[in-house]
Amino acid sequence: MTQSLPGQRPAREEVFTGDPELPVAVIGAGPYGLSVAAHLRARGLPVRVFGEVMGSWRHAMATGMFLKSTPDAVDLSAPEPGGRLADFLRVHGEQELTELTPIPCDVFVRYGQWFQKRYVGEVEPARVVAVDRAADGSGFAVRLDDGQELAARTVVVATGLNGLAHIPQELRRLAPEGPGAEALVSHTSHHTDLSRYAGRRVAVIGGGQSALESAALLHEAGARAQVLVRERSLLWGTTPTLTRPWPLRIARPGSPLGTGWVLAAVCRAPGGVRHLPAAARLLLFRRALRPSGGWWLRDRVEGVVTVRTSCRVTGAEAAGSTVRLEVAGPGRAVETLAVDHVLAATGYRLDLEAVSFLSPAVRRALECVPGSSAPRLSAGFESSVPGLHFTGSLAAPMFGPMMRFVAGVEYAATRVARALADRRAAR
């Protein structure tokens, strides 16, 4: 039994009778994996969860970062009341958070760990290295990094953005042995501590929250940072108003992703998004949310950090321990910029080929959303490989942009759990 923290109940243990039932293997222990596992266990299904609890939030975000989302958009999905972020804060006697209170990442990590102990129970830290279909057709063969193998009736992939970080090819050439904190180029997901660049010149590529917050942290750590942005201007979120007048609520309804009818619609009805033509879904996925910075970050960047807009990197070469960037600015005038490190805040690319633990045979059997490399999914998040489900960002081209954020866990976890419970009842 998992030991409880003060104010918690231990996650219920499953009791099974009769013939042993193959478990559901949940790969990933972040918000989606924990929420799915909590709902499955509440329905009495045997579950094994693999991964480090809140691992990406602990190791792929720099110290000092905050969540861009508001408190009402980061609740994990529990099968019964009492599992919200507000409940965690109340149990531990911590200050209530509002839309005007940015959420520190370390608070969110502690919340996820509390949720795991309360609703999920054991999470196995072993890493899944291979998933293939079982030879007898009964499910899947799952192999762990310690050599252990197990049979699973169903596999739920909830690995978040692990392995999906995108660095443009012209920058990737700067690190023949691979990008990283010690190389000339890295991705924002490679860092937990940006103070290593104190006193050094760092070019941050990108104009979204990750780029702007990283630039602020670099500056505050003593680095000489500048941000290179393709757009003509930065886009910032607006300071929330806790009580909006009803005409404004009608004109621009609220949603977990922001205000406006489009965002409100895709958040209210992810299942409806799934029925749109593939081209329309991909347009929503790519355009519904433009890169922007949180309202609370603006004062730490504007007039503080050098930001160059309307420019793009057209070439990069290593010159000893420095990098020479060719930067095309307005009017396509090209200049050379010398820096000590390039930090790519260039987002993530959804590609099943990057989900390396899936066997080549399984990947070949997966049907993709036309125009993308993300899986086509049923209403229960099941792929074209029976018994293989995907949640989180890899489900966004099917269910809309809410799946890119914690706000989508309620919808995904309840649908996956219902689908698997119905399937067991039908056997």
Side-chain angles (χ1 to χ4, degrees):
M1 179 180 295
T2 301
Q3 184 178 1
S4 297
L5 295 177
Q8 293 179 319
R9 296 174 292 96
R12 72 167 57 89
E13 296 183 356
E14 302 88 353
V15 178
F16 303 104
T17 59
D19 294 333
E21 183 178 1
L22 290 179
V24 178
V26 177
I27 305 175
Y32 279 88
L34 294 176
S35 297
V36 168
H39 281 272
L40 292 175
R41 284 185 166 153
R43 287 177 174 266
L45 277 77
V47 184
R48 292 183 68 175
V49 187
F50 301 99
E52 182 179 0
V53 176
M54 303 297 285
S56 293
W57 296 87
R58 295 167 64 185
H59 304 304
M61 300 188 75
T63 300
M65 281 193 165
F66 292 81
L67 274 66
K68 186 179 177 183
S69 301
T70 55
D72 62 348
V74 297
D75 290 330
L76 276 62
S77 180
E80 58 189 44
R84 300 174 303 138
L85 174 62
D87 298 313
F88 162 75
L89 295 172
R90 184 173 57 253
V91 164
H92 290 82
E94 298 187 29
Q95 181 182 0
E96 179 184 2
L97 298 175
T98 72
E99 289 186 70
L100 295 173
T101 318
I103 306 168
C105 283
D106 68 295
V107 170
F108 187 60
V109 167
R110 290 192 293 110
Y111 164 52
Q113 294 168 328
W114 171 82
F115 183 97
Q116 173 250 320
K117 292 179 172 68
R118 184 178 177 96
Y119 293 105
V120 179
E122 181 183 8
V123 171
E124 302 176 52
R127 184 170 61 90
V128 173
V129 296
V131 172
D132 207 345
R133 287 193 273 198
D136 62 3
S138 62
F140 297 89
V142 179
R143 188 169 75 250
L144 309 180
D145 60 355
D146 61 4
Q148 180 186 171
E149 295 190 10
L150 65 131
R153 185 175 299 280
T154 305
V155 171
V156 179
V157 177
T159 49
L161 295 169
N162 284 339
L164 303 178
H166 171 63
I167 297 179
Q169 188 58 41
E170 62 267 22
L171 297 179
R172 190 171 281 274
R173 284 194 289 267
L174 295 171
E177 298 181 2
E182 300 291 343
L184 291 175
V185 63
S186 63
H187 190 270
T188 49
S189 63
H190 294 153
H191 295 278
T192 57
D193 182 8
L194 292 171
S195 66
R196 66 167 55 236
Y197 299 112
R200 301 173 67 187
R201 301 165 298 175
V202 181
V204 182
I205 314 298
Q209 175 71 14
S210 181
L212 299 173
E213 191 171 12
S214 294
L217 289 170
L218 284 165
H219 172 79
E220 291 158 4
R224 288 173 285 167
Q226 58 180 301
V227 186
L228 307 181
V229 186
R230 287 188 179 188
E231 290 75 19
R232 284 184 284 184
S233 62
L234 294 180
L235 182 64
W236 296 100
T238 56
T239 305
T241 303
L242 297 183
T243 54
R244 295 197 303 154
W246 68 264
L248 190 57
R249 293 200 302 269
I250 292 175
R252 292 188 60 79
S255 79
L257 303 187
T259 59
W261 278 103
V262 172
L263 292 180
V266 299
C267 290
R268 187 175 294 272
V273 174
R274 179 176 162 270
H275 293 292
L276 294 174
R281 283 188 272 112
L282 289 179
L283 186 64
L284 274 175
F285 172 74
R286 292 166 180 158
R287 300 286 183 85
L289 289 168
R290 291 176 55 198
S292 65
W295 62 270
W296 45 266
L297 180 62
R298 191 168 189 170
D299 289 344
R300 294 167 58 193
V301 176
E302 281 195 341
V304 177
V305 178
T306 300
V307 177
R308 304 176 60 175
T309 57
S310 299
C311 66
R312 58 183 298 170
V313 176
T314 57
E317 66 175 19
S321 60
T322 63
V323 176
R324 295 190 182 279
L325 296 176
E326 289 186 359
V327 180
R332 299 200 177 272
V334 178
E335 64 175 298
T336 300
L337 181 65
V339 296
D340 301 305
H341 188 81
V342 178
L343 181 60
T346 43
Y348 299 83
R349 181 162 292 176
L350 304 186
D351 187 353
L352 285 169
E353 290 300 315
V355 186
S356 58
F357 56 79
L358 296 178
S359 73
V362 169
R363 288 201 297 269
R364 284 195 298 269
L366 286 167
E367 296 179 14
C368 290
V369 175
S372 83
S373 296
R376 182 177 62 81
L377 302 173
S378 72
F381 289 75
E382 186 175 23
S383 69
S384 56
V385 175
L388 180 60
H389 297 246
F390 291 84
T391 64
S393 290
L394 283 167
M398 285 296 302
F399 291 92
M402 190 164 72
M403 296 300 133
R404 294 167 51 193
F405 301 91
V406 179
V409 297
E410 172 78 15
Y411 185 88
T414 54
R415 267 62 179 186
V416 171
R418 181 189 306 163
L420 298 191
D422 290 348
R423 182 181 305 157
R424 183 174 69 166
R427 290 202 294 268

